[in-house]
Amino acid sequence: MTTLLIADDQTMVREALAALLGMESDFEVVAQCARGDEVLPAISKTRPDVALLDVDMPEPDGLSVAATLHKEFPRVKVIIVTTYGRPGWVKRALDAGVSGFMVKDAPVDHLADGIRRVMSGMSVIDPELVVESTMHGSSPLTARETDVLRTAADGASVDEVAATLHLSTGTVRNRLSSAIGKTNARNRADAARIAEENGWL
């Protein structure tokens, strides 16, 4: 019996996935979470074999949770299940140690087969996402530029970004300027939008 945790902030989607996967004779859904910060405590308590995580969850997002899970619970296999796959998300997911990356509009038997394949030691990534990710390439931003742009994306001022990241305002301005240039953006809001659309943030 393969035990599953499902984390998705959309209640109807989460419960539908749990009901459909629960109908499979070799699966048991042992936990459901609506937020990223609920996942680690639930995994610690229920010890599932596989965690199905949505990317776009509140506090923190699914990719951040996946990276933490890989470090703290390496035995738990992680499959990202999302409504849409942005090109940069596949690379971030693989860097975070996930075993699979699938889209929600796939048939449930496709997801069930993916879970079984992951449990047998294979990786499962939606082929269309692989092609799209390859076409768009990886992020042109450095890790430091990404941190600054991510922090500034919500409209924080240069001073606020500097204080949050413990950097000088000059360093923040330089990294924002570099990010704007690398994304061919008009300004930092445009750079953040472009980076977000490509899954680089």
Side-chain angles (χ1 to χ4, degrees):
M1 180 71 66
T2 299
T3 54
L4 308 173
L5 172 142
I6 300 173
D8 194 306
D9 62 326
Q10 295 180 358
T11 304
M12 188 180 297
V13 171
R14 185 179 67 249
E15 291 180 354
L17 268 178
L20 290 168
L21 291 171
M23 293 171 65
E24 300 287 326
S25 61
D26 54 338
F27 295 153
E28 179 185 2
V29 177
V30 294
Q32 294 184 43
C33 303
R35 299 168 48 93
D37 57 6
E38 297 173 353
V39 174
L40 290 177
I43 285 189
S44 183
K45 182 178 179 182
T46 61
R47 303 290 178 165
D49 298 309
V50 178
L52 303 173
L53 307 178
D54 182 32
V55 172
D56 200 18
M57 285 188 297
E59 301 181 32
D61 66 67
L63 294 175
S64 299
V65 172
T68 304
L69 279 178
H70 186 64
K71 291 175 190 164
E72 295 189 20
F73 297 95
R75 185 192 64 78
V76 177
K77 309 281 188 192
V78 176
I79 299 175
I80 297 293
V81 183
T82 188
T83 304
Y84 44 85
R86 294 180 177 157
W89 283 356
V90 175
K91 181 176 183 334
R92 282 184 60 202
L94 293 174
D95 289 346
V98 305
S99 299
F101 197 108
M102 304 178 76
V103 291
K104 289 179 185 173
D105 64 357
V108 73
D109 59 336
H110 184 69
L111 177 58
D113 181 58
I115 293 168
R116 292 182 186 105
R117 290 172 63 193
V118 162
M119 284 303 294
S120 72
M122 299 171 68
S123 293
V124 179
I125 300 174
D126 187 290
E128 289 179 26
L129 293 176
V130 173
V131 171
E132 193 172 335
S133 180
T134 304
M135 288 173 49
H136 284 83
S138 58
S139 174
L141 304 173
T142 66
R144 291 184 174 118
E145 290 163 351
T146 301
D147 287 343
V148 168
L149 193 57
R150 183 182 294 122
T151 306
D154 293 330
S157 69
V158 169
D159 289 339
E160 291 169 332
V161 173
T164 300
L165 298 178
H166 308 290
L167 299 170
S168 72
T169 55
T171 298
V172 169
R173 283 191 187 95
N174 288 341
R175 290 184 183 161
L176 284 173
S177 178
S178 180
I180 290 166
K182 288 180 178 180
T183 56
N184 294 316
R186 296 182 308 274
N187 52 45
R188 68 180 180 161
D190 192 36
R193 179 191 58 76
I194 291 166
E196 178 66 30
E197 286 175 358
N198 283 285
W200 299 334
L201 290 186

